[in-house]
């Protein structure tokens, strides 16, 4: 044992609490107090099927023996005693995987420094610095002297270095601001992540009580209860199971569900999903020792090596590693629970490279696609402008010096000429810097991060950053009924029992005692033992429903009949259930078999009434006697009972039973033979009231141009009644309500293949789809998204809570999972989690999404005005006066304030209800609307007129010396200072104009609701005063007097008045704008959006890189941030790209089993609903 123990210590490479904590010198504690060591258990968990069973038998006798060795009990669980817990932590480790350290501030600074444009600027500044210190020997030569003009008066050596130093300083500022932004964002995301993780709970048995504990608190020896929809947080061995099926694709890449049972394959692994059934498992490995943890330890083992590899560009490992680290970064404690794993085999890593080529990336989010295109266009324009500027300056200088003045190139004058060329180069780079809106990625990120933080308060937990922006463009919402539109508090209000239809719950005396006993047993035994009714938290409140709400409604019915279900369950505990057919969306029913004392079997069944009644051949009459139940009787019952209940909006559930002989024992695997010839006990009508706030929320959606559709598994009459209550359908409207069967009949051709044209005939009018399977939901969502029936491509949001909703949630543009009722699998596939399961929170998400879009449009309108004006001024100024009126340092200041602060000011505008009064923008609309175009050009014209007037007439107006044609290194002039000051003040007031982009007149409306905006405007103004009055040589500013300042201010305020003039001009009257607006049309042709568009954008990205554009790093940064945020995994704290690909494919494999090949071909293209490319929340789902 001693050796084993030692090896266990060695195994712990970076054990979370380390064995050293309290281990004895010989390391015997590692397994000393327990009859199994970490290594033994780890080796055991690596086995499967019969090998594992054999090993358990050889080493421990049986599972019970292992349980005793781990000092636990299969029925009572652990004691939960703190000392015992601590000992288990010390011996077997904690259930979390240590996160990778976040990037330090210095690393972020280094990253920001990689910016190409900044590097060009740094180089130019260093050359400029070097040359200013170099005193050419030909200094006394007349000719060179002329060139440097009056520079000698000041002593060139004293001041020449200032410009270079100032540029370097401003580069430092830009870098620090960028790094700080990245750092604070990462911190925010980590905080959010740890919040998500703390909420992650799992059910375990301790001291015989079933309790929920945070996943990080699970220890080896715990008895955990697993059920449909769970994501397993640790490795374990099945102790008792009912019809348990596990999706292990996250570990093995195999998409087929694996059946687990105590006697065939009891090994359960962390990171796998429970797709059906329930059971209890003994936890045998946690944290870094679980199968998932080991893979992560391997992946994260060589962090230093891995960084080296990254540098060499060894992609496969690098990519996995990076994603994993990004995700691991975020940890507060429980990274563990999260992992739907990357991949057990290294093979998958290489596969990913191949898949990259075959599986097209998810199309970019609406905004991202538009921004990328815009960036490419601006980038190209900036490059061309800066190149032309430099060429013109150089040519003009050369021709003027060597041709017109006829001088010859003299060796000793070379440094002076080079200094001129460096100056021209710096001017060119400055034009480029101003042309490219580096603030745009910042604005997008700030706006999204700000919205995400605020959306938490509105019960929206955003897992993928760009989902909140996509939500603003949503045109359709496909919502579940139960729990989203209704309160999900089920109560039985009507019942048909013993041939009598009771409109209220009957008195127990009205029911035959034998029937009543059967009914109580059928409900108590044939429902998950985790469903129960607890006393209310407050006196006189409603009883608490725990577990499946429909089952709770039925258990409540038992209590209303003055009986109790608990004694029945004590008499027949869960382990004595002989066979369980758990509820799933195909069966739409649940059955449980028990063995009666005489050895025969009884099967209890409950499920959707019209489905279960078809399997009933008998029914109990008023005396509790079974009589035959013919198809004719069934049709009558459907008409009389079920339809009348359904039209009142009730869900109808049928409860039935069947007695089976013990000899011969039935073939339990043949379900069709077993669940037939049932005897119907009762049909109950369950009421689930509509949430009071839902009708209003749906009205808001409809007013905002969003169509709400209800997709439910319920009976069509129930669904229609609830839809009418919610306001989804109105009497007299032209709409379609159909069930899944009819839907499939209408959309498939003779060969049974789904045809898009057929779907296009149905979906525009479809409002209710009842009795729908998850495949129907997926088909509908896909059909709407792929449809070309309307000119705008639809943007679809879907809500879901069940494991089977995964494919639809993934396929949708935005998937909403339910935070309370939702399974882990649904949360995994979703983009946003509704923490209160409430439909009205979706409306809040729409409002925030539209606000993000508007914030970015506001920033664009502001930014592009600055860019257009600055570029034209720098360009024409350089061509006419051989010197840009706005100096490099001033341009950088404009860029810094205008970009960073304006993005902060405009991106934090809070949303208003008015946002819901307009229709969605649509995917193909240009990012820059005609009104915005009008504003940009209008303000641009105003600013250019003012600046050129000042440039060419300023010296006369203010009666000062002209700043034009100043020689190299001459002191700053008042003339150019006035131009710079006016320019900045005009931008400042235009920032206020930019708050409104739809042509509103009152630009001050709600300005004080945004303190950030006010403080930034005031702060920028104060900084400008400091720069102008005391900036001196570095900023090329000469102090101005009061009168000059007032004139500058007056012209600045003129921006606000000019804004009113522009608002008066009707946009329709400006046909020239239409062309300009379309010129920037960033929408994509949705028809072939998938492959071609990706190609196009990717080429554009390559071009940009070639064009050395600073902006582009920014856009990449957003994507990086989005990946960091993809750690908003309610579950996936570290989801590798590999892992995602494999699961997406496995998901498709599953879709394949239910649908046609053509269907799959399409869904392969976009099944991966990731926001940023490569950011799927990939979980494989049935």
């Amino acid at each position: 044992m001693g050796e084993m123990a030692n090896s266990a210590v060695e195994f712990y490479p970076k054990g979370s609490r380390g064995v050293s904590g309290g281990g004895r010198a010989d390391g015997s504690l590692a397994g000393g107090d327990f009859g199994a060591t970490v290594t033994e258990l780890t080796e055991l968990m690596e086995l499967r099927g019969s090998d594992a069973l054999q090993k358990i038998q050889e080493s421990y006798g049986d599972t019970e023996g292992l349980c005793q060795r781990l000092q636990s009990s299969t029925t009572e669980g652990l004691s939960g005693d703190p000392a015992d817990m601590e000992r288990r932590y010390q011996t077997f480790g904690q259930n979390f995987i240590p996160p990778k350290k976040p990037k330090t501030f210095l690393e972020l600074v280094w990253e920001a420094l990689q910016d190409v444009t900044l590097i060009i600027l740094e180089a130019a500044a260093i050359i400029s610095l070097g040359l200013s210190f170099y005193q050419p020997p030909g200094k006394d030569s007349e000719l060179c002297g002329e060139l440097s003009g009056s520079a000698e008066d000041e002593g060139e050596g004293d001041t020449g270095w200032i410009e270079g130093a100032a540029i370097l300083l401003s580069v430092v500022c830009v870098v620090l601001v960028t790094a700080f932004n990245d750092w604070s964002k990462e911190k925010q995301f980590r905080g959010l992540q740890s919040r998500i993780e703390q909420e992650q709970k799992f059910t375990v048995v301790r001291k015989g009580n079933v309790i929920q504990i945070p996943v990080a608190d699970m220890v080896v020896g715990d008895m955990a209860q697993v059920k449909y929809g769970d994501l397993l947080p640790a490795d374990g061995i099945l102790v008792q199971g009912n019809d348990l099926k596990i999706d292990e694709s996250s570990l093995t890449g195999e998409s087929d569900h694996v059946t687990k049972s105590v006697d065939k394959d009891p090994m359960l692994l962390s990171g796998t999903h429970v797709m059906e059934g329930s059971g209890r498992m003994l936890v045998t490995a946690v944290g870094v020792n679980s199968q998932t943890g080991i893979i992560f330890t391997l992946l994260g083992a060589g962090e230093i090596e891995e960084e080296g590899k990254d540098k060499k560009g060894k992609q496969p490992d690098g990519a996995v590693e990076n994603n994993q680290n990004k995700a691991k970064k975020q940890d507060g404690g429980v990274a563990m629970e999260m992992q739907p794993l990357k991949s057990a085999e290294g093979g998958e890593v290489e596969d990913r490279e191949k898949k990259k080529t075959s599986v097209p990336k998810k199309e970019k989010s609406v905004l991202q696609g538009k921004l990328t295109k815009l960036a490419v266009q601006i980038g190209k324009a900036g490059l061309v402008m800066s190149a032309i500027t430099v060429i013109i300056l150089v040519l003009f200088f050369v021709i003027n010096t060597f041709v017109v003045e006829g001088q010859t190139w003299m060796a000793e004058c070379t440094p002076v000429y080079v200094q001129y060329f460096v100056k021209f180069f710096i001017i060119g780079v400055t034009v480029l810097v101003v042309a490219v809106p580096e603030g745009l990625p910042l604005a997008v990120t700030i706006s999204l991060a700000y919205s995400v933080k605020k959306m938490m308060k509105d019960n929206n937990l955003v897992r993928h950053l760009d989902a909140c922006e996509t939500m603003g463009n949503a045109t359709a919402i496909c919502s579940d009924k139960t729990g989203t539109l209704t309160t999900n508090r089920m109560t039985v209000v009507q019942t048909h029992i013993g041939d009598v239809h009771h409109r209220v719950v009957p008195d127990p005396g009205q029911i035959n005692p034998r029937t009543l006993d059967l009914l109580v047993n059928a409900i108590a035994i044939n429902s998950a033992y985790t469903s129960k009714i607890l006393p209310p938290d407050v006196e006189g409140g409603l009883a608490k429903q725990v577990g499946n709400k429909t089952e709770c409604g039925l258990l409540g019915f038992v209590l209303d009949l003055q009986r109790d279900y608990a004694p029945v369950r004590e008499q027949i505990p869960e382990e004595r259930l002989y066979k369980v057919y758990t509820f799933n969306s195909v069966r739409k029913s649940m059955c449980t078999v028990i063995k009666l004392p005489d050895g025969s079997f009884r099967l209890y069944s409950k499920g959707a009434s019209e489905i279960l009644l078809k399997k009933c051949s008998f029914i109990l009459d008023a005396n509790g006697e079974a009589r035959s139940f013919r198809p004719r009787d069934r049709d009558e019952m459907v008409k009389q009972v079920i339809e009348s209940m359904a039209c009142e909006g009730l869900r109808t559930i049928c409860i039935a039973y069947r007695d089976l002989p013990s000899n011969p024992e039935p073939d339990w695997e043949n379900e069709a033979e077993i669940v037939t010839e049932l005897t119907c006990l009762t049909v109950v009508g369950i009421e689930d009231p509509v949430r009071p706030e839902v009708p209003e929320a749906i009205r808001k959606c409809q007013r905002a141009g969003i169509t709400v559709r209800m997709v439910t598994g319920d009976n069509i009459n129930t669904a229609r009644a609830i839809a009418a209550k919610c306001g989804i359908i109105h009497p007299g409207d032209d709409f379609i309500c159909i069930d899944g069967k009819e839907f499939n009949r209408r959309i498939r051709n003779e060969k049974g293949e789904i045809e898009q044209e057929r779907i296009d005939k149905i979906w525009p009018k479809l409002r209710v789809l009842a009795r729908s399977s998850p495949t129907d939901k997926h088909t509908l969502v896909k059909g709407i998204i792929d449809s070309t029936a309307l000119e705008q491509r639809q943007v679809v949001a879907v809500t879901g809570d069940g494991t089977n909703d995964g494919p639809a949630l993934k396929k949708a543009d935005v998937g909403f999972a339910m935070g309370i009722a939702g399974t882990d699998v649904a949360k995994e596939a979703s983009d946003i989690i509704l923490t209160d399961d409430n439909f009205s929170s979706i409306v809040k998400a729409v409002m925030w999404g539209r606000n993000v879009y508007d914030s970015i449009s506001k920033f664009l309108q502001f930014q592009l005005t600055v860019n257009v004006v600055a570029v034209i001024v720098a360009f024409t100024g350089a061509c006419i006066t051989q010197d840009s009126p706005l100096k490099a340092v001033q341009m950088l200041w404009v860029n810094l304030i205008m970009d960073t602060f304006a993005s902060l000011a405009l991106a934090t505008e809070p949303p208003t209800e008015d946002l819901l009064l307009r229709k969605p923008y649509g995917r193909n609309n240009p990012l820059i609307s005609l009104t915005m175009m009008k504003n940009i050009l209008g303000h641009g014209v105003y600013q250019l007129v003012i600046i050129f007037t000042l440039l060419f007439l300023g010296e006369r107006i203010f009666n000062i010396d002209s700043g034009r044609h100043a020689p190299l290194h001459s002191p700053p002039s008042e003339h150019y200072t006035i131009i710079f000051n006016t320019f900045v003040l005009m931008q400042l007031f235009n920032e206020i104009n930019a708050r409104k982009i739809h042509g509103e007149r009152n630009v001050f409306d709600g300005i004080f609701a945004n303190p950030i905006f006010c403080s930034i405007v005031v702060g920028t103004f104060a900084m400008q005063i400091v720069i102008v009055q005391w900036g001196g040589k570095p900023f090329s500013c000469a102090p101005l007097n009061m009168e000059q300042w007032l004139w500058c201010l007056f012209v600045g305020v003129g921006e606000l008045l000019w804004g009113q003039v522009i608002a008066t001009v009707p946009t329709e009257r400006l046909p020239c704008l239409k062309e300009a607006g379309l010129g920037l049309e960033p929408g994509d042709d949705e028809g072939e959006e998938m492959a071609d568009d990706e190609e196009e954008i990717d080429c554009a990205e390559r071009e940009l890189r070639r064009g050395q554009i600073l902006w582009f790093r920014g856009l990449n940064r957003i994507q990086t941030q989005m990946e960091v945020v993809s750690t908003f995994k309610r579950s996936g704290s570290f989801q590798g790209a590999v892992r995602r690909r494999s699961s997406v494919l496995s998901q498709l494999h599953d879709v394949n089993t239910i649908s046609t090949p053509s269907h799959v071909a399409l869904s392969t293209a976009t099944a991966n609903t990731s926001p940023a490319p490569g950011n799927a929340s990939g979980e494989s789902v049935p």
Side-chain angles (χ1 to χ4, degrees), residues 857-884:
S857 299
K858 288 172 189 176
F859 177 71
L860 261 180
Q861 175 178 311
F862 169 74
Q863 175 81 52
L864 291 179
T865 313
V866 178
N867 289 7
V868 169
V869 176
V871 170
I872 293 176
V873 168
F875 176 71
T876 44
C879 298
I880 298 169
T881 67
Q882 282 75 69
D883 185 10
S884 166

Side-chain angles (χ1 to χ4, degrees), residues 677-711:
E677 297 192 5
L678 305 175
T679 305
C680 171
L681 283 167
T682 177
V683 171
V684 295
I686 297 183
E687 180 181 48
D688 183 8
V690 172
R691 287 175 179 265
E693 62 278 14
V694 162
E696 172 61 17
I698 287 181
R699 215 179 66 241
K700 281 183 185 166
C701 282
Q702 289 163 341
R703 201 173 55 209
I706 302 169
T707 310
V708 182
R709 296 182 173 82
M710 180 199 287
V711 182

